[in-house]
Amino acid sequence: MKTLRIQLNEIKHARKVRRLEHILTKRKGISEVSVSTSGIVQLKWDVDQTSQDEIIKSIQEVGYAIQKVKGTPEDVKTDDDHQMSSRLLFLGENTELYFAVISGIFWLLGLIISFIPQIADLVATILFIVGALFGGFFTFITAGKDVLRGKFEIDFLMLFAAVGAALLEKWGEAALLLFLFSLGHALEHYAMNRARKSIAALSKLAPPVALLKHEGTLTEVPIEQLKIGDIIVVKPNSKIAADGVVIEGTSPVDQASITGESMPVDKRPCPDWQDKTIDALLPEYRVFAGTINGSGVLEIKVLKHAKDSTLSRLITLVKEAETQKSPTQHLTDKFEKYYVPLVLVLVILLMFAFLVLDETFQQSFYRAMSVLIAASPCALAISTPSAVLAGIARAARQGVLIKGGRPLEDLGGLKAIAFDKTGTLTQGRPMLTSVIPFGAVQKTHLLKTAVAVEALSDHPLAAAIVDGGTKELNDVPIPKAINLKALTARGVQAEVDGTTVHIGNRRLFEEWTGEKVPQEINEKMAALESRGQTAMIVGQNKRYLGIIAVMDVARKEARATLATLKDMGIKRMVMLTGDHQKVADAIADDLGITDPMGSLLPEDKVHAIEALKKQLGNVAMVGDGVNDAPAMAKSTVGIAMGAAGSDVALETADIALMADKLDNLPFVIGLSRKAKQIIQQNLTISLGMVAILVPLTIIGSIAIGPAVVGHEGSTLLVVLNALRLLKYEV
């Protein structure tokens, strides 16, 4: 089996999505077809039973132009059928809406004139016929294509009902049916288009050209021509053209379009940019295509081609996400599969009701047409896809990528969330946390001595001491150290101002002094270590100066985020880490983690997730998407932190938080719950309307007119209800 991804021209209606899915699924050798209204087709096909060319031909025969096929760089020619359809939209993309309005005007005029006795009935009939022609124009084209393929979809059924009403000389009702059906079609397209435009807006974020710097001169080139390693210049208040690393200049950059961050992020040159990949860069050095530069001029080394930029990947993944159906969508699809044939059988039986009831064929036929309209599942079909599309669009605007309807629904039902510790709940890098002088030693002297020695070391803990110590010392002069020696499993030794300085653990100082570490220092070190800090002793010429400690500290937003999640009803918050259990316990106490699990290997994290799922049901795993990938795959919903710039994180997760912040977690869980609520409301509206209209039309209490109003009204109502997700706020 192979997977194929095809980009079509936009599909205007969800019912056409179902039609294309149905056609492709029936083709030999094709399975697991998913189609989105934005025109993304994803399918699996058996190379022994069909070919890519045959699949493309099948799609073109239906009337869709193929823009791109994944794996082939060239575009595929559009077919004559699509070109003909495009020419029909001679008044722009809202042609169908204009036709519906014209249809409504003629129907209304006909209705008014029918109440004026002085004017012949023929005038009203002509107006109704003209209204029906405008209202049925696009319905006739769609239904005609369906019939030629041997399919009888909802457009055909509505057209059939309208023709039936006309044959019974109910011209007013026929015109009303086609007017409201075409209006519902057009408004559904318009409303759904609003959600799609939120996603399509992403495509317009990247500038078309960039300023390429070469041998001191600037040249304007299309972004597609940029190569990895090129240097581009970004002027103030202009868009950044490529993913890369800042090598010159400082400036705040608005990254809201990619990460959803509300405040600009200060960017500065990376000191060792020559050897860096974009995944390894700190946020202050890394920039993304489509973000907006602030007041300074930046020089950027390009690290990704335009087609591989974070923005391009985000656009592609969001469009693909639209094709992934939610559990509710699968359920409604199965329901429709059996429901529609039952409706057709019922309608046929009702057409022959005159054989057993005291009524004419015309009366039986009229009742059957009314039932056909009332029972059509248009609102049911659109209720879930519209909510999923709006939810995905709203999340994308916040800097959150949700890969389809399943994670969107599943997230709202979480019972527990498991977090990786390093880089998720914590900063992911050590920081200087404690400086404790011993005896009469001044804190400044302790810090100066430690920074001088550690400045010679390339150890990650040394960098934390130098950075933190330098900031705390401010402008205090730091002496120069020489002759650094690494002492395996103990610490380091160097010379400062003619004295010998040691920094390390208890073993180092016991060997150096030949005596036990003083009890006061030992107790203070033990207290620091019990809180998860890595403590080191600093000594000079066999004199104890004091203790310095470093730790991977919690993110500043972590505590508040976990408290918010607890308020939202998520009672079990689990931390999975390879660190010692003491460290895990200390961080858990600080943040409010309910279940700290330390000393875990990667496979232990997988087992922990499996156990939580058995115990609680739905469990999410939050990590960085790289070393946490196995555990994320086992969870109900895998959530990647800081996915911007990381292809691995984007590919691994069900949900990707583009910014390296936990803040968006409560937002996306709240959005999921709101989406589930709206889907349930939509199902109630759609099924409730059918449950009311069908019995009333069967017993003849309402005619075609009210049935049409109820049918089209419920369809439009569920779409508008779904669009409320676009305005969702925590």
Side-chain angles (χ1 to χ4, degrees), residues 48-289:
D48 295 327
Q49 298 186 50
T50 187
S51 67
Q52 183 171 305
D53 290 340
E54 289 174 343
I55 295 170
I56 290 172
K57 186 177 179 182
S58 297
I59 295 173
Q60 289 177 325
E61 285 174 352
V62 178
Y64 292 107
I66 295 175
Q67 296 175 6
K68 287 182 180 178
V69 178
K70 192 171 185 178
T72 60
E74 70 279 356
D75 288 355
V76 181
K77 296 286 186 181
T78 60
D79 62 333
D80 294 337
D81 191 15
H82 171 66
Q83 291 171 3
M84 180 194 74
S85 299
S86 298
R87 286 196 294 269
L88 291 174
L89 299 177
F90 45 82
L91 297 178
E93 66 173 15
N94 291 325
T95 301
E96 189 176 8
L97 180 60
Y98 299 146
F99 270 43
V101 171
I102 293 169
S103 171
I105 291 171
F106 276 97
W107 172 79
L108 184 60
L109 288 173
L111 183 66
I112 293 170
I113 287 176
S114 67
F115 287 103
I116 303 175
Q118 294 85 352
I119 301 178
D121 291 343
L122 180 61
V123 176
T125 300
I126 291 172
L127 290 171
F128 286 142
I129 291 172
V130 174
L133 290 174
F134 273 99
F137 183 77
F138 287 96
T139 303
F140 176 78
I141 291 171
T142 305
K145 291 178 181 177
D146 289 339
V147 171
L148 290 175
R149 293 195 307 273
K151 303 296 179 185
F152 300 94
E153 301 286 348
I154 186 65
D155 297 84
F156 173 80
L157 299 178
M158 288 297 173
L159 189 65
F160 182 71
V163 171
L167 291 174
L168 296 173
E169 297 186 355
K170 303 282 187 178
W171 289 104
E173 293 188 356
L176 175 64
L177 166 58
L178 292 174
F179 156 55
L180 289 178
F181 186 65
S182 62
L183 181 65
H185 245 229
L187 291 178
E188 177 190 323
H189 174 219
Y190 175 79
M192 292 288 284
N193 207 34
R194 280 193 58 196
R196 282 196 296 267
K197 282 180 178 178
S198 295
I199 295 170
L202 292 171
S203 305
K204 300 175 183 177
L205 290 174
V209 295
L211 282 177
L212 177 65
K213 185 177 182 179
H214 183 64
E215 296 181 350
T217 61
L218 297 180
T219 309
E220 198 173 79
V221 299
I223 60 171
E224 292 79 13
Q225 293 182 14
L226 291 176
K227 300 185 294 294
I228 293 174
D230 283 348
I231 306 299
I232 60 173
V233 175
V234 183
K235 293 183 177 180
N237 304 312
S238 59
K239 290 181 178 179
I240 294 173
D243 285 15
V245 56
V246 178
I247 62 172
E248 192 69 41
T250 60
S251 181
V253 172
D254 181 354
Q255 299 188 151
S257 57
I258 301 295
T259 65
E261 293 169 282
S262 57
M263 298 297 294
V265 179
D266 291 327
K267 303 294 180 179
R268 58 190 177 92
C270 179
D272 52 351
W273 56 268
Q274 292 89 346
D275 304 318
K276 291 286 188 180
T277 62
I278 197 162
D279 291 355
L281 292 170
L282 295 175
E284 56 262 36
Y285 305 141
R286 180 177 59 191
V287 293
F288 304 109

Side-chain angles (χ1 to χ4, degrees), residues 228 402 628 700:
I228 293 174
I402 302 178
D628 300 313

Side-chain angles (χ1 to χ4, degrees), residues 448-568:
K448 285 196 306 180
T449 306
V451 169
V453 173
E454 297 293 2
L456 300 179
S457 174
D458 58 0
H459 194 280
L461 297 184
I465 294 168
V466 173
D467 288 346
T470 303
K471 288 177 184 176
E472 191 164 335
L473 288 168
N474 205 352
D475 294 327
V476 175
I478 297 171
K480 186 176 179 62
I482 58 174
N483 298 332
L484 179 76
K485 293 180 182 178
L487 306 174
T488 306
R490 288 166 293 172
V492 293
Q493 171 188 317
E495 294 179 20
V496 178
D497 293 336
T499 64
T500 301
V501 176
H502 287 80
I503 303 176
N505 55 23
R506 296 176 181 85
R507 176 184 168 190
L508 170 62
F509 281 85
E510 287 172 357
E511 289 179 359
W512 185 37
T513 63
E515 298 176 359
K516 290 283 186 183
V517 172
Q519 185 177 352
E520 182 184 347
I521 288 182
N522 191 47
E523 288 175 354
K524 287 181 178 178
M525 285 187 73
L528 292 171
E529 289 164 348
S530 69
R531 298 199 297 270
Q533 300 187 44
T534 300
M536 293 161 277
I537 305 170
V538 182
Q540 188 174 27
N541 279 353
K542 298 192 178 181
R543 174 193 176 202
Y544 287 97
L545 297 184
I547 302 167
I548 55 175
V550 296
M551 183 182 182
D552 181 12
V553 299
R555 292 173 176 271
K556 59 183 178 181
E557 74 272 18
R559 190 179 296 105
T561 299
L562 294 179
T564 302
L565 292 174
K566 185 177 180 181
D567 292 340
M568 294 176 73

Side-chain angles (χ1 to χ4, degrees), residues 2-55:
K2 283 192 174 183
T3 301
L4 193 62
R5 178 180 173 274
I6 302 171
Q7 172 73 60
L8 309 179
N9 52 287
E10 186 180 280
I11 303 174
K12 293 182 180 180
H13 299 292
R15 62 197 69 174
K16 292 184 179 179
V17 166
R18 299 197 312 278
R19 185 177 301 131
L20 182 56
E21 285 180 349
H22 180 75
I23 290 167
L24 291 176
T25 303
K26 291 294 183 183
R27 184 177 180 87
K28 187 178 180 182
I30 297 179
S31 64
E32 296 185 33
V33 179
S34 293
V35 184
S36 74
T37 51
S38 60
I40 299 291
V41 179
Q42 290 199 141
L43 53 83
K44 288 187 177 180
W45 56 288
D46 189 336
V47 292
D48 295 327
Q49 298 186 50
T50 187
S51 67
Q52 183 171 305
D53 290 340
E54 289 174 343
I55 295 170

